[in-house]
Amino acid sequence: MSLRRWVGLCFVTALFCLSLLPASVKARAGMSRPVHYLAHIAAFCTAYLLTASLDRDDGNTGVHWFRGSVLRNLFIATALMALGASIEFLEAWLYHNRLEVFDVIADGAGILLGILIGAMFRGRTGLSQV
C-alpha cells in the first residue's frame, strides 16, 4: 500500500472521529451552515483523492487503469458515501437530532469533485506518486 493510501486511511479515521464530536464543539470551531457544507465537500474530496487509484496502470496486475482501477475507484466512492451516511445516522442516534440529508449530499458532491480532480490529474507525477 502506498504512503498516500496510508495517509488516506488515517485521514478517513480522523474524519470519522471528528465527525462524531458534539454539535456544541463544532459550533465553537466556527462551523456555520455554509462553512459546514464546504467542510463536508472538502473532507470527502480529500478522502477520495487520498484513497483512490490515480495511477495510469494498476501496479499489481499491469492492467490499464480504465479496466482495473475504475471498479476499485467505484468501490471507494461507494464506501465513502456509505461512511458519510453512517456518520449521519450515528450522529442522529447519539445526539437525538434529525438526520441531516444535506450533509450526505455534500459528501457526495465532495466525492464527485474528487473524481473530477482525479480524472484531470490521473497518471501525472506528484499526486499519483505520493
Side-chain angles (χ1 to χ4, degrees):
M1 186 181 292
S2 69
L3 175 61
R4 182 174 52 83
R5 287 207 178 135
W6 277 110
V7 171
L9 181 62
C10 292
F11 181 85
V12 169
T13 303
L15 174 66
F16 179 78
C17 294
L18 292 173
S19 294
L20 293 178
L21 289 173
S24 60
V25 174
K26 293 177 188 176
R28 281 186 295 213
M31 286 292 171
S32 62
R33 274 298 153 204
V35 174
H36 180 79
Y37 294 131
L38 290 174
H40 273 266
I41 291 169
F44 279 82
C45 177
T46 303
Y48 178 82
L49 289 173
L50 288 173
T51 56
S53 294
L54 300 176
D55 301 328
R56 274 204 191 280
D57 293 320
D58 183 346
N60 298 327
T61 62
V63 175
H64 190 265
W65 71 268
F66 200 76
R67 288 201 315 254
S69 295
V70 168
L71 289 177
R72 182 180 310 126
N73 289 347
L74 181 61
F75 173 77
I76 289 169
T78 304
L80 286 173
M81 276 302 298
L83 174 70
S86 298
I87 289 170
E88 293 307 319
F89 278 108
L90 277 171
E91 284 180 330
W93 180 70
L94 286 172
Y95 302 116
H96 306 290
N97 57 1
R98 63 180 178 78
L99 188 65
E100 297 183 30
V101 176
F102 288 112
D103 286 0
V104 178
I105 292 170
D107 298 343
I111 294 167
L112 181 59
L113 180 62
I115 290 169
L116 294 173
I117 291 171
M120 287 175 25
F121 293 102
R122 189 172 311 282
R124 293 189 183 168
T125 54
L127 186 61
S128 64
Q129 300 299 321
V130 174

